[in-house]
Amino acid sequence: MTSIDVPDRVAADNRAARVDLGVKAIRRSRQLARVRDVVTAYLGLTKPRIIELLLVTTVPAMFLAAGGVPPFIVVLATMVGGCLAAASANAINCVLDRDIDEQMRRTRRRPLPRHAVSPLGATVFGMILGIAATLWLGYSVNWLSAALALGANAFYIVVYTVWLKRRTPQNIVWGGIAGCFPPLIGWTAVTGSLALTPFVMFLIVFFWTPPHTWALAMRYREDYARANVPMLPVVRSAPVVARQIMAYSAVTVLASLVLWPVAHTGWLYPAVAVVLGVALLWQSALLLARARRGLTDAALQPMRLFHWSNSYLALLFVAAAVDTLLR
């Protein structure tokens, strides 16, 4: 090799090194993307938006139980345990309902229908989360709260998902009980015992659940029909469902007002409860009016009620928590 060839050889080696580094960078980027996709898929199994709503009904109960601001460490521990418990139930629900999710436009992009996670992997993931939630709540909060969280999970998986969901139009009425447990868990996390106040909060969520869920089911009625899930809007006409929604909304408002004397709140909570209740009944009445005009599915605009019902429950429970700070 001559001295003239040396720079060319060095340049070639440098180019090869840069190409090799580029290939490694691409591979590393792809590996990170795969890891990110897997993490995102498992996170999707937990249904984070549902968990957020559950926490909104847990923490205010803790404020009422404490008569003010509860200990931060207790709130943090309860929130962590509650998130783990809800994530566990949601993951196992995704496994059991994967055939339904594959047929519905609203859910076909969930991890299992698009095969981003295996059923076995999702089941193991859900079971690990459930065990972790029970142990965490038991040791860091108390065993009564842990038992309530475990009972809520069992009810959601066995009673609602396995037994009721595919068999009866009343599935969400009774199956929705699982989502009513967070106020009980929050209360017992602070006091170590149960009382009438958290049961009234339990009833608020119980009566709120059907209007909230049926509004969503009205929008996706064809999806549920295709999947053979007998949600009330699938087996009953829109006016019948809208009347049921109106009735449950009215009882929800009444239950919310019962909390005032039972929890001995100040004037902020009942004032907010009345304003929110009027708005909820107004949205329900508008839905009923559209149903009576013969509108169906998306034309009914049921998602207006669905989204408002989320805000209603969150604002109502936050008002209960804030009220304790003003007394």
Side-chain angles (χ1 to χ4, degrees):
M1 179 182 298
T2 66
S3 60
I4 297 176
D5 295 328
V6 170
D8 292 338
R9 180 60 181 271
V10 171
D13 289 344
N14 287 338
R15 284 195 297 272
R18 286 196 296 271
V19 170
D20 186 54
L21 288 173
V23 171
K24 289 181 178 178
I26 292 172
R27 289 175 178 170
R28 189 159 49 247
S29 177
R30 289 176 176 172
Q31 289 172 348
L32 289 174
R34 283 195 292 270
V35 171
R36 185 172 59 251
D37 289 344
V38 171
V39 171
T40 301
Y42 275 96
L43 180 63
L45 290 172
T46 67
K47 304 180 184 179
R49 295 186 67 179
I50 295 178
I51 293 176
E52 290 174 8
L53 194 60
L54 295 177
L55 293 179
V56 165
T57 60
T58 302
V59 177
M62 302 180 75
F63 275 74
L64 287 174
V69 180
F72 174 75
I73 191 65
V74 176
V75 174
L76 181 61
T78 305
M79 289 178 65
V80 170
C83 285
L84 291 173
S88 167
N90 289 336
I92 295 176
N93 169 265
C94 283
V95 175
L96 296 172
D97 278 354
R98 64 187 184 277
D99 59 325
I100 294 174
D101 290 343
E102 285 180 352
Q103 300 179 60
M104 297 180 60
R105 289 171 298 169
R106 185 175 65 87
T107 57
R108 65 177 51 158
R109 295 301 301 164
R110 285 178 177 172
L112 283 166
R114 57 189 178 85
H115 306 291
V117 178
S118 70
L120 177 59
T123 302
V124 172
F125 177 64
M127 292 179 66
I128 290 173
L129 289 176
I131 294 170
T134 303
L135 295 177
W136 173 270
L137 286 171
Y139 284 109
S140 66
V141 182
N142 59 61
W143 288 104
L144 177 56
S145 297
L148 288 169
L150 185 61
N153 277 15
F155 198 97
Y156 182 65
I157 294 167
V158 178
V159 177
Y160 173 64
T161 305
V162 175
W163 182 28
L164 294 175
K165 185 171 184 178
R166 303 174 192 240
R167 287 179 169 83
T168 171
Q170 295 297 306
N171 48 20
I172 198 61
V173 175
W174 304 109
I177 288 175
C180 305
F181 275 73
L184 303 181
I185 296 169
W187 184 277
T188 57
V190 174
T191 66
S193 61
L194 288 167
L196 182 58
T197 296
F199 277 107
V200 174
M201 300 176 81
F202 178 104
L203 288 176
I204 294 172
V205 182
F206 175 79
F207 292 120
W208 166 90
T209 300
H212 172 74
T213 308
W214 286 336
L216 180 68
M218 291 178 89
R219 172 63 182 84
Y220 294 100
R221 182 184 61 83
E222 292 181 352
D223 269 4
Y224 283 108
R226 187 182 304 112
N228 293 317
V229 178
M231 298 298 290
L232 191 65
V234 174
V235 301
R236 297 289 186 272
S237 67
V240 171
V241 178
R243 285 196 296 270
Q244 289 285 311
I245 286 175
M246 189 74 197
Y248 273 96
S249 296
V251 179
T252 300
V253 175
L254 291 176
S256 73
L257 294 176
V258 170
L259 186 63
W260 173 24
V262 170
H264 305 292
T265 70
W267 286 98
L268 174 67
Y269 172 77
V272 172
V274 168
V275 172
L276 293 175
V278 169
L280 180 65
L281 292 173
W282 177 248
Q283 287 294 331
S284 301
L286 290 176
L287 179 65
L288 178 57
R290 289 191 291 269
R292 284 174 172 169
R293 292 203 306 270
L295 301 178
T296 58
D297 300 333
L300 278 166
Q301 300 178 321
M303 295 304 286
R304 288 187 178 183
L305 175 61
F306 174 79
H307 292 304
W308 169 246
S309 65
N310 278 329
S311 300
Y312 168 85
L313 192 67
L315 292 172
L316 183 74
F317 276 66
V318 167
V322 173
D323 188 279
T324 63
L325 304 179
L326 301 180
R327 283 185 277 161

